[in-house]
Amino acid sequence: MELKQNRVFEFRYKSEQDDFCLQESVKKYGQLRPIIITQNNEIIDGNKLYNYLLKIKPNNIETKIIQVDNEQDYVKIRLELNC
């Protein structure tokens, strides 16, 4: 399943070290948490993890669907998950 990444916006600074640590964690332990998506397959949380997983195991990415009924809910959930 292909996920949509058209609303990528960052809430905090992430360094190259953060990206390296994420990649090393996935190599060592696999995917420890699902990519959080809307009912329309739009990523709410986990863009960087998704991009990395696409490189190493594109056919086996775990997701969790959250029902989002409007733009206000979408923004609220994104803020809560990325604080």
Side-chain angles (χ1 to χ4, degrees), residues 21-50:
C21 289
L22 173 64
Q23 291 177 13
E24 292 303 305
S25 172
V26 172
K27 285 179 189 175
K28 187 173 184 178
Y29 304 109
Q31 183 181 358
L32 296 176
R33 62 181 179 90
I35 307 297
I36 309 298
I37 63 173
T38 68
Q39 65 273 18
N40 298 320
N41 293 337
E42 187 172 336
I43 296 174
I44 296 176
D45 185 54
N47 282 292
K48 289 189 180 209
L49 176 58
Y50 175 66

Side-chain angles (χ1 to χ4, degrees), residues 12-23:
R12 69 179 179 89
Y13 173 77
K14 293 183 180 179
S15 69
E16 289 181 21
Q17 181 66 32
D18 291 336
D19 294 343
F20 176 78
C21 289
L22 173 64
Q23 291 177 13

Side-chain angles (χ1 to χ4, degrees), residues 57-73:
K57 58 174 197 167
N59 296 321
N60 192 23
I61 297 175
E62 181 184 347
T63 61
K64 177 175 177 65
I65 299 172
I66 304 257
Q67 181 72 30
V68 177
D69 298 319
N70 56 55
E71 184 71 16
Q72 184 178 3
D73 287 348

